[in-house]
Amino acid sequence: AATAGVTSTSTVGPARSSVAILTAFDNPAMPPRQASPARQWDLFCRVVDNFGDVGVCWRLARDLASRGEQVRLVIDDPSALAWMAPGGAPGVQVLPWPGPAVPGDVVIEAFGCDPPPDFVEAMARRAPAPVWINLEYLSAEAFVERSHGLPSPQRNGLVKWFYFPGFTARTGGLLRETGLMAARAAFDGPAWLAGRGIAAQPGERVVSLFCYDNPAVPALLARLAHEPTLLLLTPGPAQRQVGAAPPGVRLVRLPWLTQTDFDRLLWACE
């Protein structure tokens, strides 16, 4: 169910399988990287709200590093990584803003966050100039195909390239970790929940809720109450806004989850 920006996932049986949904929008996996010296990637992230920006940047940094690249994640507020990625990742160096003085081979600014001016000046002096990418938000709208890969010439002579993730061959595609589909196919949702002391009752669907502050939450709860529902509330706005639930909705308040475990949470629902 989704209401006015409130996102939830539920599990009610194979007819609404998330595997089928994911496969319907499946992009071919990226081919293995050819043997060559590792590139240095500088990924800039400003944390705005609700952890989406840091979550995307950490997933990208971790995936690049797993493919043999070297990544410096420059972030203005790394506090969420303490629970999102407590063990870090080989090949990923987390740096405080404003980051390094010398640019690497590829510079990514996440969601138009603008690297520091001194760093951009250093990029213009570097020979060869780094590839500069503006990573944009995921969208299924038509403009994504028109905008993906467009250049944006800068006054200092550099070129910034727009990268739009998406669901078609004319977009930037989706992040997919090596082995993701096999892990998803082998996943046992009830067993994963049981390992955290959570079990759905007979006839009860499992729903997870992650949201911003939203006046539509009470209406969503009322709608969920039409069927027996186990509602798993993520920390933050979801737990703050749901103090009690109507009859038919059973609440479980989750702790902070690592990024890997949050993926499993979504897999355990539908």
Side-chain angles (χ1 to χ4, degrees), residues 86-109:
V92 179
Q93 182 182 11
V94 178
L95 300 176
W97 201 277
V102 179
D105 303 300
V106 185
V107 175
I108 299 177
E109 58 171 285

Side-chain angles (χ1 to χ4, degrees), residues 5 41 67 81 98 116 159 171 174 185 192 197 203 207 252 257:
W41 299 64
R67 300 174 190 273
L81 293 176
V159 177
T171 70
L174 301 171
W192 184 87
V207 178
V252 171
L257 299 174

Side-chain angles (χ1 to χ4, degrees), residues 104-131:
D105 303 300
V106 185
V107 175
I108 299 177
E109 58 171 285
F111 316 124
C113 69
D114 294 324
D118 289 347
F119 187 84
V120 174
E121 291 179 8
M123 290 168 60
R125 294 192 300 267
R126 187 183 189 274
V131 177

Side-chain angles (χ1 to χ4, degrees), residues 12-108:
V12 293
R16 292 164 59 181
S17 168
S18 58
V19 176
I21 294 170
L22 181 61
T23 303
F25 295 104
D26 198 15
N27 288 28
M30 190 173 75
R33 183 176 179 273
Q34 299 299 313
S36 61
R39 290 175 289 261
Q40 178 68 66
W41 299 64
D42 293 323
L43 174 53
F44 286 84
C45 174
R46 284 192 181 274
V47 178
V48 179
D49 57 8
N50 226 7
F51 315 119
D53 29 36
V54 61
V56 169
C57 289
W58 178 254
R59 188 180 298 275
L60 175 58
R62 184 183 65 177
D63 192 67
L64 285 168
S66 74
R67 300 174 190 273
E69 307 293 347
Q70 296 296 313
V71 184
R72 295 184 294 204
L73 174 57
V74 182
I75 186 169
D76 63 344
D77 181 4
S79 58
L81 293 176
W83 51 264
M84 186 179 294
V92 179
Q93 182 182 11
V94 178
L95 300 176
W97 201 277
V102 179
D105 303 300
V106 185
V107 175
I108 299 177

Side-chain angles (χ1 to χ4, degrees), residues 88-176:
V92 179
Q93 182 182 11
V94 178
L95 300 176
W97 201 277
V102 179
D105 303 300
V106 185
V107 175
I108 299 177
E109 58 171 285
F111 316 124
C113 69
D114 294 324
D118 289 347
F119 187 84
V120 174
E121 291 179 8
M123 290 168 60
R125 294 192 300 267
R126 187 183 189 274
V131 177
W132 187 0
I133 297 171
N134 180 16
L135 175 62
E136 285 289 352
Y137 294 95
L138 174 66
S139 174
E141 297 184 62
F143 77 88
V144 171
E145 290 192 348
R146 301 192 304 269
S147 303
H148 175 62
L150 289 180
S152 176
Q154 307 292 300
R155 292 181 179 179
N156 60 7
L158 296 173
V159 177
K160 182 190 303 188
W161 300 89
F162 286 94
Y163 195 103
F164 281 83
F167 301 99
T168 71
R170 294 177 59 190
T171 70
L174 301 171
L175 278 172
R176 184 201 295 177

